[in-house]
Amino acid sequence: MSPQKQAEGEPPPPVQSVWTRPRAGREQPALSRDQIVAEALRLLDSDGIDALSMRKLGTRLGAGATSLYRHVANKDELIELAIDEIYGEIEIPRSTDPSTWRTDATLCAQSLRATMLRHPWIASVLGEMGMSYLGPNAMRLAEFLLALFTRAGLPTTEADQAASTLVAYVTGMATSEAAYLNVLARSGHTEQQYVESLWPTAEQAAESYPHLREGYAEQRGKDPRTARDENFRYGLDRVLDGLATRITHWPNARTPTPPNPLR
């Protein structure tokens, strides 16, 4: 029998998620979901996203792929779980002082970037794993940032937008860096060696572009990791400058200016 057709105007059924589906009532004594995720993370960190398969993971765990499916529905769910495991490494400042919002946001942003760079394979999947934000560690981060900007003085809606803006900047920068680190790992060279090998080609390509030539000349000889850190901090400071302006002026923006009777 074919499934009943959805009635017109009836909302679609809820989207299923690994985060809200109850776990199996009884797990195999020798295998748990936590063990599966931990081993998947080790495999991803050592061999990259392309190496992950349920069959290969089962072999590493000494179990068949069928045993894994008792705990995880598919590979996508497994990646979601691994992503949230990574988010558990992010340092969340404990301060609740509204005056330290910028310091706390900076520490959290730097920890998010460092966490992503420790697991550079995440660059290829983060934007595709739409339900990963429902994981407990991802929600812990979101809750912290929302509370941070609310305490700083923004209304809830704008605090959410501020948190999204900050996370978008960090993940955008870190994703680009992680992709670069993946290429670097495949090259078999140190970052300094790899960058030095690129300079002659980059300078030749920039011969007709004076501003680029000048920029390259200033960067050449710099430690590439230090340069990446400086670039990240520059952008982070500018994002926080903008948010600081909103936080400082929000009470004035919220209170309408009374009409001038002399006009």
Side-chain angles (χ1 to χ4, degrees), residues 3 21 23 25-26 32 74 78 100 105 112 118 121 128 135 144 164 187 189 193 197 203 216:
R21 186 177 64 251
R23 292 197 188 194
R26 182 180 176 187
S32 69
N74 51 48
L78 182 59
T100 64
L112 173 56
R118 284 195 297 272
W121 60 267
E128 301 172 7
F144 163 75
S164 296
S187 76
H189 299 296
Q193 291 170 335
S197 71
E203 290 171 338
Y216 287 165

Side-chain angles (χ1 to χ4, degrees), residues 177-211:
E177 283 187 88
Y180 159 73
L181 292 177
N182 284 332
V183 172
L184 179 63
R186 290 194 295 270
S187 76
H189 299 296
T190 66
E191 186 170 5
Q192 187 70 52
Q193 291 170 335
Y194 182 74
V195 170
E196 286 299 327
S197 71
L198 289 177
W199 277 125
T201 303
E203 290 171 338
Q204 183 179 352
E207 283 182 356
S208 302
Y209 305 96
H211 290 91

Side-chain angles (χ1 to χ4, degrees), residues 23-80:
R23 292 197 188 194
R26 182 180 176 187
E27 294 192 341
Q28 288 179 282
L31 194 63
S32 69
R33 193 171 80 176
D34 291 342
Q35 288 174 308
I36 293 170
V37 173
E39 189 60 38
L41 193 51
R42 282 190 284 269
L43 174 58
L44 287 162
D45 287 344
S46 62
D47 298 348
I49 190 69
D50 293 336
L52 180 65
S53 71
M54 301 297 272
R55 183 182 297 277
K56 185 171 184 178
L57 184 59
T59 300
R60 288 171 65 112
L61 288 164
T66 303
S67 299
L68 272 59
Y69 287 120
R70 293 174 182 266
H71 307 280
V72 183
N74 51 48
K75 181 178 171 180
D76 285 347
E77 279 196 358
L78 182 59
I79 294 173
E80 284 186 43

